[in-house]
Amino acid sequence: MDGREQTTGSAADFDFLIGDWTIRNLRLKQRFAGCDDWDEFPATSRVRKLLQDTANLEEMDIPAKGFAGITLRLFNPRDGSWSLHWADSRSNRLFAPVIGRFDQDEGLFYGDDTDEGRPVRVRFLWEPCQHTPCWEQAFSRDGGETWETNWMMRFTRV
């Protein structure tokens, strides 16, 4: 931000996700191979607020794939952005965050990652809804010129 932009965003941006969920996961079987074959599997999650309601923690259980994960989401009141931090029981490490914000009916978050040892840009898209939120992950190998969606989650409130 250069000081002229208006700060948007709220610590309540992720309130739609607070609670217990079942999740329908669709994950692309092969990335960057022109594949359109998706692996479908269930998960459950629980999301709760933390840090005087300026953060939330999601605990996700994915027994069909043999792992669990957590996402810590932190709101920055200075610029209205969120940083989303992921860790799972397969790697037992905290991955670099994706950072972004909500604008009207969607949240866009970007970061850097690797895919099979190659650097990629990663994009998370959140479509908030009180009863059926949607999340998508996409990778880009060309710095964000083109994107391939490789994981989708459809949440249903328990």
Side-chain angles (χ1 to χ4, degrees):
M1 292 179 70
D2 65 8
R4 293 176 296 184
E5 298 174 38
Q6 186 176 20
T7 299
T8 61
S10 161
D13 286 339
F14 274 103
D15 281 2
F16 68 91
L17 202 55
I18 304 303
D20 296 331
W21 301 91
T22 59
I23 305 167
R24 179 179 169 238
N25 288 273
L26 295 164
R27 187 169 57 185
L28 198 59
K29 288 187 176 181
Q30 292 183 308
R31 291 181 297 278
F32 300 112
C35 179
D36 61 1
D37 195 12
W38 296 83
D39 185 20
E40 184 173 346
F41 54 93
T44 59
S45 81
R46 170 170 285 163
V47 183
R48 60 190 166 100
K49 287 187 169 195
L50 300 167
L51 299 174
Q52 297 179 325
D53 297 338
T54 62
N56 66 63
L57 181 69
E58 178 176 9
E59 299 174 89
M60 186 177 297
D61 190 26
I62 310 168
K65 296 298 179 184
F67 73 97
I70 60 170
T71 300
L72 175 63
R73 300 177 184 93
L74 300 167
F75 178 68
N76 181 340
R78 290 170 296 287
D79 69 4
S81 70
W82 283 87
S83 58
L84 286 55
H85 306 260
W86 168 257
D88 63 51
S89 61
R90 295 175 298 190
S91 65
N92 291 90
R93 70 180 184 93
L94 190 62
F95 288 80
V98 294
I99 299 172
R101 62 180 27 92
F102 283 87
D103 184 19
Q104 297 183 28
D105 294 332
E106 68 179 21
L108 284 171
F109 306 86
Y110 296 91
D112 295 310
D113 204 342
T114 59
D115 179 53
E116 297 181 0
R118 294 181 63 179
V120 294
R121 286 290 290 163
V122 62
R123 178 185 72 198
F124 288 1
L125 168 64
W126 272 103
E127 294 179 3
C129 169
Q130 289 300 322
H131 301 290
T132 56
C134 300
W135 170 86
E136 293 183 2
Q137 173 183 274
F139 286 169
S140 173
R141 285 188 174 165
D142 58 16
E145 293 294 318
T146 60
W147 295 93
E148 178 183 73
T149 299
N150 58 56
W151 197 334
M152 298 181 285
M153 293 183 185
R154 304 301 183 245
F155 291 70
T156 302
R157 194 169 290 282
V158 174

